[in-house]
Amino acid sequence: MLESKITAKGQTTIPKAVRDSLSIQAGDKVRYAIIGEKVLMLPVRPTSRLFRSLKYEGPAISLEDMDDIIAEATAEG
């Protein structure tokens, strides 16, 4: 188990093993979720990291076609 000390200002250093595990570095943001007496720390991933993360190899689809597909899917729902 890892631990770190809290300063008088309420600050702490996140252990390197935790930073590596979460792939966080200086300047990144984290979120905290309080669950009972436990705290979960989650990295905040900017949406810019998602850019081009999903590849589509098919032909281009028009906005009208997208609207039609969405309308059909919601009508079936």
Side-chain angles (χ1 to χ4, degrees):
M1 184 174 297
L2 302 166
E3 63 182 50
S4 60
K5 193 175 197 177
I6 306 295
T7 69
K9 291 185 177 183
Q11 299 170 333
T12 189
T13 298
I14 300 169
K16 184 174 182 340
V18 175
R19 295 191 314 264
D20 290 347
S21 176
L22 296 176
S23 299
I24 56 175
Q25 51 193 305
D28 287 351
K29 293 182 178 184
V30 293
R31 285 195 177 117
Y32 301 94
I34 300 171
I35 303 169
E37 292 187 17
K38 298 179 182 182
V39 176
L40 182 64
M41 184 172 70
L42 303 163
V44 176
R45 302 286 184 225
T47 55
S48 61
R49 285 190 181 177
L50 298 175
F51 184 68
R52 296 190 189 265
S53 63
L54 300 175
K55 294 188 179 194
Y56 175 70
E57 302 290 333
I61 299 174
S62 71
L63 291 176
E64 292 79 18
D65 289 341
M66 287 185 211
D67 287 340
D68 292 342
I69 293 168
I70 292 168
E72 288 175 19
T74 55
E76 294 172 2

